[in-house]
CSV table of all heavy atoms in Angstrom, one decimal:
chain,number,residue,atom,x,y,z
A,1,MET,N,-7.8,-1.8,-1.8
A,1,MET,CA,-7.9,-0.4,-2.3
A,1,MET,C,-7.0,-0.2,-3.5
A,1,MET,O,-7.4,0.5,-4.4
A,1,MET,CB,-7.5,0.5,-1.1
A,1,MET,CG,-8.6,0.5,0.0
A,1,MET,SD,-8.0,1.6,1.4
A,1,MET,CE,-8.1,3.2,0.6
A,2,VAL,N,-5.9,-0.7,-3.5
A,2,VAL,CA,-4.9,-0.6,-4.6
A,2,VAL,C,-5.6,-1.2,-5.9
A,2,VAL,O,-5.5,-0.5,-7.0
A,2,VAL,CB,-3.6,-1.2,-4.3
A,2,VAL,CG1,-2.8,-1.4,-5.6
A,2,VAL,CG2,-2.8,-0.4,-3.3
A,3,ALA,N,-6.1,-2.3,-5.8
A,3,ALA,CA,-6.7,-3.0,-6.9
A,3,ALA,C,-7.9,-2.4,-7.5
A,3,ALA,O,-8.2,-2.3,-8.7
A,3,ALA,CB,-7.0,-4.5,-6.6
A,4,LEU,N,-8.8,-1.9,-6.6
A,4,LEU,CA,-10.1,-1.4,-7.0
A,4,LEU,C,-10.2,0.1,-7.2
A,4,LEU,O,-11.2,0.6,-7.7
A,4,LEU,CB,-11.2,-1.8,-6.0
A,4,LEU,CG,-11.3,-3.3,-5.8
A,4,LEU,CD1,-12.4,-3.6,-4.7
A,4,LEU,CD2,-11.6,-4.0,-7.1
A,5,ASN,N,-9.1,0.8,-6.9
A,5,ASN,CA,-9.1,2.3,-7.0
A,5,ASN,C,-7.9,2.7,-7.8
A,5,ASN,O,-6.9,3.3,-7.2
A,5,ASN,CB,-9.1,3.0,-5.6
A,5,ASN,CG,-10.4,2.6,-4.8
A,5,ASN,OD1,-11.4,3.2,-5.0
A,5,ASN,ND2,-10.2,1.6,-4.0
A,6,SER,N,-7.9,2.5,-9.1
A,6,SER,CA,-6.7,2.7,-9.9
A,6,SER,C,-6.3,4.2,-10.0
A,6,SER,O,-5.1,4.5,-10.4
A,6,SER,CB,-6.9,2.1,-11.3
A,6,SER,OG,-8.0,2.8,-11.9
A,7,GLU,N,-7.2,5.1,-9.7
A,7,GLU,CA,-6.9,6.5,-9.8
A,7,GLU,C,-6.3,7.1,-8.5
A,7,GLU,O,-5.8,8.2,-8.5
A,7,GLU,CB,-8.1,7.3,-10.3
A,7,GLU,CG,-8.8,6.8,-11.6
A,7,GLU,CD,-7.8,6.8,-12.7
A,7,GLU,OE1,-7.0,7.8,-12.8
A,7,GLU,OE2,-7.8,5.8,-13.5
A,8,VAL,N,-6.4,6.4,-7.5
A,8,VAL,CA,-6.0,6.9,-6.2
A,8,VAL,C,-4.5,6.7,-6.0
A,8,VAL,O,-4.0,5.6,-6.2
A,8,VAL,CB,-6.7,6.2,-5.0
A,8,VAL,CG1,-6.2,6.8,-3.7
A,8,VAL,CG2,-8.2,6.4,-5.1
A,9,PRO,N,-3.7,7.7,-5.7
A,9,PRO,CA,-2.3,7.6,-5.5
A,9,PRO,C,-1.9,6.6,-4.4
A,9,PRO,O,-2.6,6.5,-3.4
A,9,PRO,CB,-1.8,9.0,-5.1
A,9,PRO,CG,-2.9,9.9,-5.6
A,9,PRO,CD,-4.2,9.1,-5.5
A,10,LEU,N,-0.9,5.8,-4.7
A,10,LEU,CA,-0.5,4.7,-3.7
A,10,LEU,C,-0.1,5.3,-2.4
A,10,LEU,O,-0.4,4.7,-1.3
A,10,LEU,CB,0.7,3.9,-4.3
A,10,LEU,CG,0.4,3.1,-5.6
A,10,LEU,CD1,1.7,2.4,-6.1
A,10,LEU,CD2,-0.7,2.1,-5.3
A,11,LEU,N,0.5,6.5,-2.3
A,11,LEU,CA,0.9,7.1,-1.0
A,11,LEU,C,-0.4,7.4,-0.2
A,11,LEU,O,-0.4,7.2,1.0
A,11,LEU,CB,1.7,8.4,-1.3
A,11,LEU,CG,2.0,9.2,0.0
A,11,LEU,CD1,2.8,8.3,1.0
A,11,LEU,CD2,2.7,10.4,-0.3
A,12,GLU,N,-1.4,7.9,-0.9
A,12,GLU,CA,-2.7,8.2,-0.2
A,12,GLU,C,-3.3,6.9,0.4
A,12,GLU,O,-3.8,6.9,1.5
A,12,GLU,CB,-3.7,8.8,-1.2
A,12,GLU,CG,-5.0,9.3,-0.6
A,12,GLU,CD,-5.9,10.0,-1.6
A,12,GLU,OE1,-5.3,10.7,-2.5
A,12,GLU,OE2,-7.1,9.9,-1.5
A,13,ILE,N,-3.2,5.8,-0.4
A,13,ILE,CA,-3.8,4.5,0.2
A,13,ILE,C,-2.9,4.0,1.3
A,13,ILE,O,-3.5,3.6,2.3
A,13,ILE,CB,-3.8,3.5,-1.0
A,13,ILE,CG1,-4.8,3.9,-2.0
A,13,ILE,CG2,-4.1,2.1,-0.4
A,13,ILE,CD1,-4.9,2.9,-3.2
A,14,ALA,N,-1.6,4.2,1.2
A,14,ALA,CA,-0.7,3.7,2.3
A,14,ALA,C,-1.0,4.4,3.6
A,14,ALA,O,-1.2,3.8,4.7
A,14,ALA,CB,0.7,3.9,1.9
A,15,LEU,N,-1.2,5.7,3.5
A,15,LEU,CA,-1.5,6.5,4.7
A,15,LEU,C,-2.9,6.2,5.3
A,15,LEU,O,-3.1,6.2,6.5
A,15,LEU,CB,-1.3,8.0,4.4
A,15,LEU,CG,0.1,8.5,4.0
A,15,LEU,CD1,0.1,10.0,3.7
A,15,LEU,CD2,1.1,8.2,5.1
A,16,ALA,N,-3.8,6.0,4.4
A,16,ALA,CA,-5.2,5.7,4.8
A,16,ALA,C,-5.3,4.4,5.5
A,16,ALA,O,-6.1,4.2,6.4
A,16,ALA,CB,-6.1,5.7,3.6
A,17,CYS,N,-4.4,3.5,5.2
A,17,CYS,CA,-4.4,2.1,5.8
A,17,CYS,C,-3.4,2.1,7.0
A,17,CYS,O,-3.3,1.0,7.6
A,17,CYS,CB,-4.0,1.1,4.8
A,17,CYS,SG,-5.3,0.9,3.5
A,18,GLY,N,-2.8,3.2,7.4
A,18,GLY,CA,-2.0,3.2,8.6
A,18,GLY,C,-0.5,2.9,8.4
A,18,GLY,O,0.2,2.7,9.4
A,19,TYR,N,-0.1,2.9,7.2
A,19,TYR,CA,1.4,2.7,6.9
A,19,TYR,C,2.1,4.1,7.1
A,19,TYR,O,1.5,5.1,6.9
A,19,TYR,CB,1.6,2.2,5.5
A,19,TYR,CG,1.2,0.8,5.3
A,19,TYR,CD1,0.0,0.5,4.7
A,19,TYR,CD2,2.0,-0.3,5.8
A,19,TYR,CE1,-0.4,-0.8,4.5
A,19,TYR,CE2,1.6,-1.6,5.6
A,19,TYR,CZ,0.4,-1.9,5.0
A,19,TYR,OH,0.0,-3.2,4.8
A,20,SER,N,3.3,4.0,7.5
A,20,SER,CA,4.1,5.3,7.7
A,20,SER,C,4.4,6.0,6.4
A,20,SER,O,4.5,7.2,6.4
A,20,SER,CB,5.4,5.0,8.5
A,20,SER,OG,6.2,4.0,7.8
A,21,ASP,N,4.6,5.2,5.4
A,21,ASP,CA,4.8,5.8,4.0
A,21,ASP,C,4.6,4.7,3.0
A,21,ASP,O,4.2,3.5,3.3
A,21,ASP,CB,6.3,6.3,3.9
A,21,ASP,CG,7.3,5.3,4.4
A,21,ASP,OD1,7.1,4.0,4.1
A,21,ASP,OD2,8.4,5.7,4.9
A,22,GLN,N,4.7,5.0,1.7
A,22,GLN,CA,4.5,4.1,0.6
A,22,GLN,C,5.4,2.9,0.6
A,22,GLN,O,5.1,1.8,0.3
A,22,GLN,CB,4.5,4.8,-0.7
A,22,GLN,CG,4.1,3.9,-1.9
A,22,GLN,CD,4.1,4.6,-3.2
A,22,GLN,OE1,3.8,5.8,-3.3
A,22,GLN,NE2,4.5,4.0,-4.3
A,23,ALA,N,6.7,3.2,1.0
A,23,ALA,CA,7.7,2.1,1.0
A,23,ALA,C,7.3,1.0,2.0
A,23,ALA,O,7.6,-0.1,1.8
A,23,ALA,CB,9.1,2.7,1.4
A,24,HIS,N,6.7,1.5,3.1
A,24,HIS,CA,6.3,0.5,4.1
A,24,HIS,C,5.2,-0.4,3.6
A,24,HIS,O,5.2,-1.7,3.7
A,24,HIS,CB,5.8,1.2,5.4
A,24,HIS,CG,5.4,0.4,6.5
A,24,HIS,ND1,4.8,0.8,7.7
A,24,HIS,CD2,5.6,-1.0,6.7
A,24,HIS,CE1,4.6,-0.2,8.5
A,24,HIS,NE2,5.1,-1.3,8.0
A,25,MET,N,4.3,0.2,2.9
A,25,MET,CA,3.2,-0.6,2.2
A,25,MET,C,3.8,-1.5,1.1
A,25,MET,O,3.4,-2.7,1.0
A,25,MET,CB,2.2,0.3,1.6
A,25,MET,CG,1.0,-0.5,1.0
A,25,MET,SD,-0.3,0.6,0.3
A,25,MET,CE,0.5,1.3,-1.1
A,26,ASN,N,4.8,-1.0,0.4
A,26,ASN,CA,5.4,-1.8,-0.7
A,26,ASN,C,6.0,-3.1,-0.1
A,26,ASN,O,5.9,-4.2,-0.6
A,26,ASN,CB,6.5,-1.0,-1.4
A,26,ASN,CG,5.9,0.1,-2.2
A,26,ASN,OD1,4.7,0.2,-2.4
A,26,ASN,ND2,6.8,0.9,-2.8
A,27,ARG,N,6.8,-2.9,1.0
A,27,ARG,CA,7.4,-4.1,1.7
A,27,ARG,C,6.4,-5.1,2.2
A,27,ARG,O,6.6,-6.3,2.0
A,27,ARG,CB,8.3,-3.6,2.8
A,27,ARG,CG,9.5,-2.8,2.4
A,27,ARG,CD,10.5,-2.7,3.6
A,27,ARG,NE,9.9,-1.9,4.7
A,27,ARG,CZ,10.0,-0.6,4.8
A,27,ARG,NH1,10.5,0.1,3.9
A,27,ARG,NH2,9.4,0.0,5.9
A,28,ASP,N,5.3,-4.6,2.7
A,28,ASP,CA,4.3,-5.5,3.3
A,28,ASP,C,3.6,-6.3,2.1
A,28,ASP,O,3.4,-7.5,2.3
A,28,ASP,CB,3.2,-4.7,4.0
A,28,ASP,CG,3.0,-5.1,5.4
A,28,ASP,OD1,3.9,-5.8,6.0
A,28,ASP,OD2,2.0,-4.8,6.0
A,29,MET,N,3.3,-5.6,1.0
A,29,MET,CA,2.7,-6.3,-0.1
A,29,MET,C,3.6,-7.4,-0.7
A,29,MET,O,3.2,-8.4,-1.1
A,29,MET,CB,2.2,-5.3,-1.1
A,29,MET,CG,1.0,-4.6,-0.7
A,29,MET,SD,0.1,-3.8,-2.1
A,29,MET,CE,-1.2,-3.0,-1.1
A,30,GLN,N,4.9,-7.0,-0.8
A,30,GLN,CA,5.9,-8.0,-1.3
A,30,GLN,C,6.0,-9.2,-0.4
A,30,GLN,O,6.1,-10.3,-0.9
A,30,GLN,CB,7.2,-7.3,-1.5
A,30,GLN,CG,7.3,-6.4,-2.7
A,30,GLN,CD,8.6,-5.6,-2.8
A,30,GLN,OE1,9.2,-5.3,-1.8
A,30,GLN,NE2,9.0,-5.3,-4.0
A,31,ARG,N,5.8,-9.0,0.9
A,31,ARG,CA,5.9,-10.1,1.8
A,31,ARG,C,4.6,-11.0,1.7
A,31,ARG,O,4.7,-12.2,1.5
A,31,ARG,CB,6.0,-9.6,3.2
A,31,ARG,CG,5.8,-10.7,4.3
A,31,ARG,CD,5.6,-10.2,5.7
A,31,ARG,NE,5.1,-11.2,6.6
A,31,ARG,CZ,4.7,-11.0,7.9
A,31,ARG,NH1,4.8,-9.8,8.4
A,31,ARG,NH2,4.3,-12.0,8.6
A,32,TRP,N,3.4,-10.4,1.8
A,32,TRP,CA,2.2,-11.1,1.9
A,32,TRP,C,1.7,-11.5,0.5
A,32,TRP,O,1.0,-12.5,0.4
A,32,TRP,CB,1.1,-10.2,2.5
A,32,TRP,CG,1.4,-10.0,4.0
A,32,TRP,CD1,1.9,-8.8,4.5
A,32,TRP,CD2,1.1,-10.9,5.1
A,32,TRP,NE1,1.9,-8.9,5.9
A,32,TRP,CE2,1.5,-10.2,6.3
A,32,TRP,CE3,0.6,-12.1,5.2
A,32,TRP,CZ2,1.4,-10.7,7.6
A,32,TRP,CZ3,0.5,-12.7,6.5
A,32,TRP,CH2,0.8,-12.0,7.6
A,33,PHE,N,1.9,-10.7,-0.6
A,33,PHE,CA,1.4,-11.0,-1.9
A,33,PHE,C,2.4,-11.4,-2.9
A,33,PHE,O,2.0,-11.8,-4.0
A,33,PHE,CB,0.6,-9.8,-2.4
A,33,PHE,CG,-0.5,-9.3,-1.5
A,33,PHE,CD1,-1.0,-8.0,-1.6
A,33,PHE,CD2,-1.2,-10.2,-0.6
A,33,PHE,CE1,-2.0,-7.6,-0.8
A,33,PHE,CE2,-2.2,-9.7,0.2
A,33,PHE,CZ,-2.6,-8.4,0.1
A,34,ALA,N,3.7,-11.3,-2.6
A,34,ALA,CA,4.8,-11.5,-3.5
A,34,ALA,C,4.6,-10.6,-4.7
A,34,ALA,O,5.0,-11.0,-5.9
A,34,ALA,CB,4.8,-13.0,-4.0
């Protein structure tokens, strides 16, 4: 969603995917995607 929807705010994507906040998504992507 982040890669294919450049106009959608990251916080909106994080919440739509079940993350508690954007920081949570950031940590997950750094772990899985570096």
Side-chain angles (χ1 to χ4, degrees):
M1 290 178 68
V2 166
L4 301 180
N5 299 277
S6 59
E7 304 303 318
V8 179
L10 295 178
L11 176 59
E12 185 176 327
I13 292 175
L15 297 178
C17 291
Y19 290 102
S20 56
D21 52 32
Q22 184 179 328
H24 187 188
M25 183 177 72
N26 291 355
R27 291 192 299 271
D28 236 19
M29 286 198 181
Q30 287 175 327
R31 170 194 169 186
W32 293 100
F33 302 156

